[in-house]
Amino acid sequence: MTYQQALAFVEETKKYGSILGLDSIRALMKELGNVQEDLSIIHIAGTNGKGSVGAMLQAVLEEAGLKVGRYSSPAVFSYREIWQINGKAVSEEAYAALMEKVKTACLTLTEKGLPHPTSFEVETAAAFLYFKEEACDVVLLETGMGGREDATNLITHPICSVITSISMDHMQFLGNTLSEIASAKAGIIKENCPVVSAWQEDVVKEVLVKEAERLKAQLYQPRKDAIRNLLYDMNGMQFDYVRENNSQWKIKLPLTGAYQAANAACALKVIEVLKEKTFPQLTLSVIQNGFQKVCWNGRFERVLEEPLCILDGAHNEGAALQLAKTLENCFTNRKITYIIGVLADKAHEKILKIMRPYSETVYVVTPHNGRALPAEKLAEEAKAAGYQTVITEPLIEDAVRHAIAESSREDVVLIFGSLSYLAEAKQAVIQYREGQKNDR
């Protein structure tokens, strides 16, 4: 199978839709030898922060000399980045070889009269195979959606389960209340396995505590005052992390955004647990050096300096609240122009209202995604939310070019919403930047 044939196979599996449940992935992995049982897995669920927490853990574990596999979707800038080892995406050749094995297993299932696995199940199976074949020391495994019925949840003994911030999202699949969504995410908690939760609202914490008690899983959470002396600007943040024994770790992190402090507290609590139970080599110097090397594209990422142009994957209500808080802290008295593209199943009206106090002008686009909300509909909602200038752009590159051209050197252009269009937007900014260099 060539790389193109492998891509075509995965594209073909999209016709099977998105189906929650574990029967199909269990059957598929049985055909593939249940290789997931041989992996040391950190399983990560949550509404917001999965990627950021994963990036922090990856940096520290790599700093400790470990071979770190990471499965994280959706892709933002390159499809193959979904499967990484020590930050390097799977090669085309390895991807093709993995998918050939997965396709053979899928054919065996259908010959037995069983349903064909979905695209996410196929990709998840490939991840398990890849990390097993490459003998990874530890695997960071993110859920695709929810937890209990997510294909990644066929694993039975993670070295740690992690639940990042939970808020309203994917309601049509996970439930219409915060407690219902929390219950779905809590499904990754396993019997007698440690679980770490980020700071949560009381209704969410109650669900997690009950599930952990039921499964005799020890639940850890950062102290409410775990982050002290926090300072952050556009270049990153520094703070003191306070442990249960009142000792403090001084941490520097090259990410910014109000939400990253909470994500860091969660990641550091996971590291404490791993240091005690699994990886004693996670010394303070390893932790500090690892945090200073964290990289996570598309999360308050600076891609142009004058005007300042930022990408952020804030695509639901909780993320928008945190993004608004960051704007409030970082950009007092600076004119901000938005470029927004969203998916139809997200809380786009709420996002627009949350972000309204910080900008008068918004360019609306349609992401290249089957679930995208048409820009024309988003424009109507933006006008209803009170934005003074609403511009609909058919092409994402035109929105970027026009927004930057209409901004002064001191202004800010913020591109946010669905992750599915950030890669195209970033490329448009790069092309604009290169064009300006050539004009000089």
Side-chain angles (χ1 to χ4, degrees):
M1 185 181 279
T2 66
Y3 178 62
Q4 292 303 322
Q5 288 171 329
L7 287 176
F9 162 64
V10 176
E11 185 65 28
E12 177 71 10
T13 64
K14 291 181 179 178
K15 70 183 180 184
Y16 301 110
S18 178
I19 302 170
L20 293 176
L22 301 179
D23 291 346
S24 184
I25 187 68
R26 282 177 178 145
L28 179 55
M29 292 313 302
K30 184 178 180 181
E31 291 297 327
L32 294 168
N34 281 326
V35 294
Q36 76 280 359
E37 296 297 325
D38 299 327
L39 300 171
S40 294
I41 293 173
I42 300 169
H43 199 192
I44 308 173
T47 307
N48 294 309
K50 294 195 300 289
S52 296
V53 170
M56 295 173 199
L57 295 175
Q58 176 184 330
V60 172
L61 293 166
E62 282 185 34
E63 185 69 17
L66 298 169
K67 190 172 187 178
V68 185
R70 187 171 175 200
Y71 178 57
S72 174
S73 63
V76 181
F77 298 117
S78 164
Y79 173 60
R80 287 183 288 110
E81 75 186 22
I82 291 173
W83 306 266
Q84 294 183 20
I85 295 177
N86 284 8
K88 186 177 179 181
V90 65
S91 69
E92 292 185 0
E93 293 77 16
Y95 174 85
L98 291 165
M99 285 305 173
E100 184 162 13
K101 293 173 184 175
V102 175
K103 181 178 181 180
T104 299
C106 288
L107 290 173
T108 301
L109 293 181
T110 56
E111 287 170 359
K112 293 179 179 179
L114 296 173
H116 195 292
T118 66
S119 59
F120 184 67
E121 289 164 343
V122 161
E123 290 171 340
T124 301
F128 290 135
L129 271 181
Y130 184 44
F131 301 140
K132 168 64 175 178
E133 290 177 1
E134 294 296 321
C136 288
D137 297 310
V138 61
V139 170
L140 297 165
L141 180 72
E142 287 184 28
T143 60
M145 180 172 59
R148 191 178 308 278
E149 300 297 318
D150 188 82
T152 61
N153 202 36
L154 87 159
I155 64 169
T156 57
H157 54 277
I159 58 174
C160 187
S161 299
V162 184
I163 300 177
T164 65
S165 174
I166 293 177
S167 59
M168 299 300 287
D169 201 8
H170 294 299
M171 284 82 80
Q172 70 273 38
F173 294 104
L174 305 180
N176 293 312
T177 68
L178 208 48
S179 61
E180 288 175 335
I181 292 172
S183 179
K185 309 282 187 184
I188 72 164
I189 299 174
K190 298 294 187 296
E191 191 169 1
N192 295 317
C193 294
V195 55
V196 173
S197 167
W199 295 316
Q200 307 284 2
E201 292 189 35
D202 288 344
V203 64
V204 172
K205 187 174 180 180
E206 183 180 338
V207 171
L208 301 184
V209 167
K210 284 183 178 178
E211 186 68 358
E213 288 177 348
R214 185 180 74 83
L215 292 169
K216 298 180 176 58
Q218 189 165 1
L219 175 63
Y220 301 85
Q221 193 171 33
R223 295 169 50 144
K224 289 184 178 179
D225 63 344
I227 302 296
R228 293 184 188 171
N229 305 318
L230 172 64
L231 297 171
Y232 72 89
D233 57 23
M234 283 305 304
N235 297 311
M237 62 176 60
Q238 59 183 34
F239 56 87
D240 295 328
Y241 174 75
V242 185
R243 304 174 66 195
E244 290 299 327
N245 62 8
N246 288 319
S247 66
Q248 297 184 15
W249 292 342
K250 291 192 175 298
I251 301 294
K252 290 183 179 179
L253 178 66
L255 305 181
T256 195
Y259 50 91
Q260 294 298 5
N263 289 334
C266 179
L268 285 162
K269 177 54 72 173
V270 175
I271 288 164
E272 282 192 88
V273 172
L274 294 176
K275 177 180 172 65
E276 177 188 340
K277 297 181 179 296
T278 315
F279 300 120
Q281 61 267 53
L282 298 178
T283 62
L284 179 55
S285 62
V286 164
I287 295 164
Q288 290 172 325
N289 292 338
F291 261 79
Q292 290 189 62
K293 295 177 182 177
V294 174
C295 178
W296 190 224
N297 295 330
R299 274 66 173 184
F300 218 78
E301 178 186 3
R302 295 163 65 166
V303 287
L304 189 68
E305 293 301 323
E306 293 181 348
L308 184 60
C309 189
I310 296 168
L311 299 175
D312 194 90
H315 61 278
N316 55 42
E317 184 179 357
L321 286 167
Q322 293 298 324
L323 179 57
K325 186 176 178 182
T326 303
L327 296 184
E328 208 166 275
N329 289 340
C330 289
F331 300 129
T332 306
N333 300 323
R334 291 180 73 171
K335 179 188 172 188
I336 305 174
T337 295
Y338 295 157
I339 299 174
I340 310 177
V342 296
L343 301 186
D345 56 359
K346 301 298 180 180
H348 30 84
E349 290 182 271
K350 289 183 179 178
I351 293 170
L352 287 167
K353 289 176 182 175
I354 289 166
M355 300 298 293
R356 170 63 189 88
Y358 312 99
S359 177
E360 300 279 352
T361 304
V362 55
Y363 288 77
V364 293
V365 299
T366 307
H368 295 301
N369 186 297
R371 292 157 49 208
L373 183 74
E376 294 75 15
K377 174 64 176 171
L378 189 60
E380 292 175 11
E381 293 179 358
K383 290 172 185 174
Y387 290 86
Q388 297 301 305
T389 305
V390 180
I391 303 161
T392 303
E393 291 282 7
L395 298 178
I396 292 168
E397 63 185 77
D398 286 345
V400 169
R401 184 162 46 86
H402 294 154
I404 294 175
E406 292 297 319
S407 299
S408 72
R409 294 174 66 178
E410 297 76 26
D411 294 342
V412 179
V413 175
L414 174 61
I415 305 169
F416 70 99
S418 172
L419 292 168
S420 62
Y421 86 102
L422 292 191
E424 187 175 352
K426 183 174 182 176
Q427 187 58 39
V429 174
I430 292 170
Q431 287 175 350
Y432 179 90
R433 187 175 66 202
E434 295 304 312
Q436 292 298 100
K437 287 180 183 177
N438 294 335
D439 289 344
R440 295 182 197 139

